[in-house]
Amino acid sequence: MRFMLTVLLFGFSALAFAEVKVDNALIRLLPPGVPNTAGYFSLTNTGSEDRVLVGASCAAVKKAELHDHQMVDGMMKMVHQQQVVVPAGQTLTFQPGGLHLMLFGLQAPLKEGQQIPFTLMFANGEQVEVSAVVKSAVAEVDHSHHH
């Protein structure tokens, strides 16, 4: 019985030390009235085994999905991803024009600087809680000083 308890405790403590790290999480601020937006972040797998991201949830929206931009018949299209593999020891960057978290049906308007929590879900049952900051679209480079 004592051995069993040790194994159980070890099993739980292993989950506490997530091997997936999320950095630079942000959610794009779009004009009022736009019902959908996107989340971006970098996902680092510090473990020795591949991790498979299978979904996300976010209370601020009706639905969150993993998406990627892919060339289909000569046109760039957003394609829903059922899963995304994060190779062991590597970082995947979710960014505009590539992998991203699509957020459908905002429950309330977002505000610049607001923190939005979301959860990333992995095939092994692991869940990673993330807090993303709301930022307006990446500013264009100001060329006004060139006359």
Side-chain angles (χ1 to χ4, degrees), residues 33-84:
V34 177
N36 307 325
T37 189
Y40 308 111
F41 48 89
S42 60
L43 199 53
T44 303
N45 180 355
T46 61
S48 56
E49 293 176 20
D50 292 353
R51 288 286 190 267
V52 181
L53 181 62
V54 294
S57 65
C58 177
V61 296
K62 291 189 176 95
K63 184 169 64 169
E65 292 181 352
L66 303 170
H67 280 229
D68 195 4
H69 280 95
Q70 296 175 349
M71 196 61 81
V72 180
D73 297 327
M75 290 181 61
M76 193 57 88
K77 295 196 172 175
M78 256 191 349
V79 182
H80 179 210
Q81 304 294 295
Q82 295 299 330
Q83 61 182 41
V84 175

Side-chain angles (χ1 to χ4, degrees), residues 27-38 102 106 110 134-137:
I27 291 175
R28 178 169 275 178
L29 179 65
L30 293 174
V34 177
N36 307 325
T37 189
M102 198 63 214
L106 287 168
L110 298 176
V134 175
K135 292 200 176 195
S136 52

